[in-house]
Amino acid sequence: MTDKKLIGVDLGGTTTKFGILTPQGEVQQRWSIETDILEDGSHIIPNIIDSIQHHLKLYDMPADQFAGIGMGSPGSVDLAAGTVSGAFNLNWEGTVYPKRDIEAATNIPFYIDNDANVAAMGERWQGAGDNDPNVTFVTLGTGVGGGIIADGRLLHGVAGSAGELGHITVQPGGYLCTCGKRGCLEQYASATGVVHIARDMAEEYAGDAKLKFMLDDGEDITSKIVFNLAKEGDPLALKVVDKVSFYLGLALANVGNMLNPKYIVIGGGVSAAGDFLLERVQRNFEENTFPNVRQTTSLRLATLGNEAGIVGAASLVLADHAQTEE
Ligand SMILES: [Zn+2]
């Protein structure tokens, strides 16, 4: 293992976060910049380079103090080439070359993977994953993403789509997904999915429920409102949460049946509902898992929050070191 420091970069559509970490995973410094997506996102990479160079200069840290820079990016990432394509929320329409450009400017080795995989690596290393070699991560935000670490390796598949847990079919012929397919988990367990389910169930719901009144009044609701109402005992909100938990529990049970990880870690904004959600998902998970998986695979809530991105990105540097030393 290296004794040099690591730089982790979490590139998002609105902010880019940076961290300097020890090889043991302790975040020593952190800072962030706004992500400037104007002019086809052409400023993004130059701004990242400027920010790293400015920071290293300010703290008098030469490039050779660092084992590498790791970055998590939206879009499709070609690991070997170090390129990104199809990152539409960054306004990157063609292929972008972060590895080539950042290595040339900083003289520090650069590693990249997609943001969900990177968050999975972060939770596995310093979060709820206890650094176990078998951890699956699912993130429930505006969409549903995921990452799989199996036998100590991040899985990518032939075209980088391993771990796309958001597109597991949980309801054949169900809600239409942005991917073009129907019935994807993302349409039922993301923040927008929760609201979609709430609207549909409210239409058919005949009883008294605050959630129904709010929807009938045309009020804007969010998944957070649905979960808070359910916690207060609102009968419709409870039905919605039960439905979300069924779909999520079913999908995670099948992930468990296939991979038998030590932990399936649940993160992202929707997971802020905490144990209230976890207990309900757990019941559906147990009902649909193979006995040996039920006894050995645990569901857990993520613990790193926003920091998973920079921590996981930094860990890409170590993963590469481990592989080249084999
Ligand atoms: Zn889909």
Side-chain angles (χ1 to χ4, degrees):
M1 205 215 249
T2 177
D3 56 2
K4 293 183 176 183
K5 291 181 202 274
L6 318 169
I7 298 176
V9 183
D10 178 9
L11 171 56
T14 51
T15 52
T16 304
K17 302 188 195 86
F18 300 83
I20 292 180
L21 287 83
T22 65
Q24 289 74 34
E26 186 200 339
V27 182
Q28 294 188 315
Q29 295 185 23
R30 56 171 74 73
W31 73 99
S32 65
I33 59 173
E34 237 176 85
T35 306
D36 178 3
I37 62 168
L38 297 177
E39 294 171 84
D40 300 327
S42 60
H43 303 295
I44 294 174
I45 297 299
N47 287 352
I48 288 172
I49 292 168
D50 284 351
S51 186
I52 290 173
Q53 286 178 328
H54 175 77
H55 193 90
L56 300 196
K57 200 172 165 203
L58 191 66
Y59 289 90
D60 202 17
M61 294 188 279
D64 63 13
Q65 274 188 9
F66 295 92
I69 301 170
M71 185 166 98
S73 170
S76 298
V77 174
D78 182 326
L79 302 183
T83 58
V84 178
S85 54
F88 300 107
N89 64 335
L90 301 177
N91 283 340
W92 284 350
E93 289 196 5
T95 299
V96 178
Y97 299 84
K99 181 177 168 71
R100 180 195 70 191
D101 297 347
I102 293 174
E103 280 186 346
T106 62
N107 258 321
I108 302 174
F110 180 85
Y111 308 90
I112 188 166
D113 210 317
N114 84 51
D115 44 13
N117 282 345
V118 159
M121 291 285 277
E123 278 295 337
R124 179 260 183 138
W125 188 30
Q126 297 293 322
D130 282 353
N131 210 23
D132 196 89
N134 290 286
V135 174
T136 297
F137 176 69
V138 60
T139 173
L140 314 172
T142 43
V144 172
I148 297 167
I149 297 124
D151 296 337
R153 301 249 173 167
L154 191 53
L155 299 189
H156 293 95
V158 286
S161 290
E164 286 282 3
L165 306 189
H167 303 282
I168 292 174
T169 303
V170 290
Q171 178 67 64
Y175 292 160
L176 183 65
C177 184
T178 49
C179 74
K181 191 166 82 58
R182 284 189 180 274
C184 294
L185 177 66
E186 178 162 298
Q187 297 306 312
Y188 297 86
S190 64
T192 44
V194 173
V195 173
H196 192 175
I197 291 174
R199 285 190 192 288
D200 279 5
M201 291 185 86
E203 248 180 57
E204 293 170 13
Y205 189 76
D208 273 352
K210 190 172 174 197
L211 179 59
K212 181 170 170 66
F213 295 137
M214 290 174 77
L215 285 163
D216 288 353
D217 270 354
E219 280 185 50
D220 264 340
I221 64 153
T222 60
S223 67
K224 192 176 168 191
I225 291 173
V226 173
F227 279 104
N228 286 342
L229 286 172
K231 285 176 184 173
E232 290 166 16
D234 184 90
L236 175 60
L238 278 167
K239 278 177 180 288
V240 174
V241 171
D242 280 345
K243 197 156 194 176
V244 171
S245 304
F246 163 74
Y247 287 119
L248 186 56
L250 175 66
L252 298 186
N254 287 325
V255 168
N257 290 335
M258 182 164 56
L259 296 163
N260 190 204
K262 175 95 176 171
Y263 304 113
I264 298 178
V265 178
I266 306 171
V270 175
S271 75
D275 289 332
F276 183 77
L277 173 68
L278 189 64
E279 283 162 18
R280 285 165 173 76
V281 175
Q282 180 77 34
R283 260 180 261 150
N284 290 287
F285 176 78
E286 288 178 11
E287 210 171 297
N288 292 291
T289 35
F290 175 68
N292 193 43
V293 170
R294 196 178 311 142
Q295 285 149 20
T296 54
T297 294
S298 311
L299 302 185
R300 282 188 162 185
L301 294 168
T303 60
L304 290 186
N306 278 337
E307 204 143 87
I310 54 171
V311 172
S315 80
L316 296 177
V317 178
L318 299 176
D320 188 79
H321 271 262
Q323 276 165 29
T324 48
E325 280 164 19
E326 267 172 23

